[in-house]
Amino acid sequence: QVQLVESGGGLVQPGGSLRLSCVASGIGFEHYGIGWFRQAPGEEREFVSCITAAREATGYYADSVQDRFTISRDDAKNTVTLQMNSLKPEDTAVYYCAAVPYGLGYCPYFKYVHWGQGTQVTVSS
């Protein structure tokens, strides 16, 4: 059974940082591409960042988070981490991680098949 569990969300002031983690089980993690998406109230879900399978481990970012967020993976721990710095109120959303097998190539275009339950990030003073 595939399971993705996000953690690390919370309330932070503008300019602050949070570190989100996605822990996977039930999959051959090193062969999977992992993505982060977010959905704000009343908005559609949008791509945030992704990292390809371990053989490449290439990260990609939405323009809105480029230079502020950093994605990384630890295949020994089946974990992908999203370090979020210089947070803005517009980053407020539920953040979801997702996984796709054979995850090599341009991961923003992947059709992700496994999804976590999400973690809330609120940026407010």
Side-chain angles (χ1 to χ4, degrees), residues 10-102:
L11 172 65
V12 64
Q13 292 186 342
S17 298
L18 283 174
R19 187 179 181 91
L20 303 185
S21 294
C22 173
V23 180
S25 59
I27 60 174
F29 185 76
E30 66 182 33
H31 302 297
Y32 276 66
I34 305 295
W36 284 98
F37 296 79
R38 66 187 181 188
Q39 187 167 20
E43 303 287 334
E44 292 190 354
R45 186 173 61 197
E46 65 173 359
F47 167 78
V48 176
S49 180
C50 63
I51 188 164
T52 57
R55 201 170 77 188
E56 292 178 344
T58 300
Y60 295 88
Y61 303 91
D63 289 344
S64 59
V65 306
Q66 185 76 47
D67 298 328
R68 298 189 297 124
F69 291 10
T70 302
I71 193 169
S72 61
R73 63 186 298 150
D74 184 342
D75 294 286
K77 297 181 179 179
N78 284 13
T79 299
V80 167
T81 298
L82 185 68
Q83 178 67 43
M84 307 188 297
N85 298 329
S86 302
L87 283 161
K88 305 174 181 180
E90 50 263 45
D91 294 318
T92 295
V94 178
Y95 283 69
Y96 300 90
C97 71
V100 59
Y102 312 110

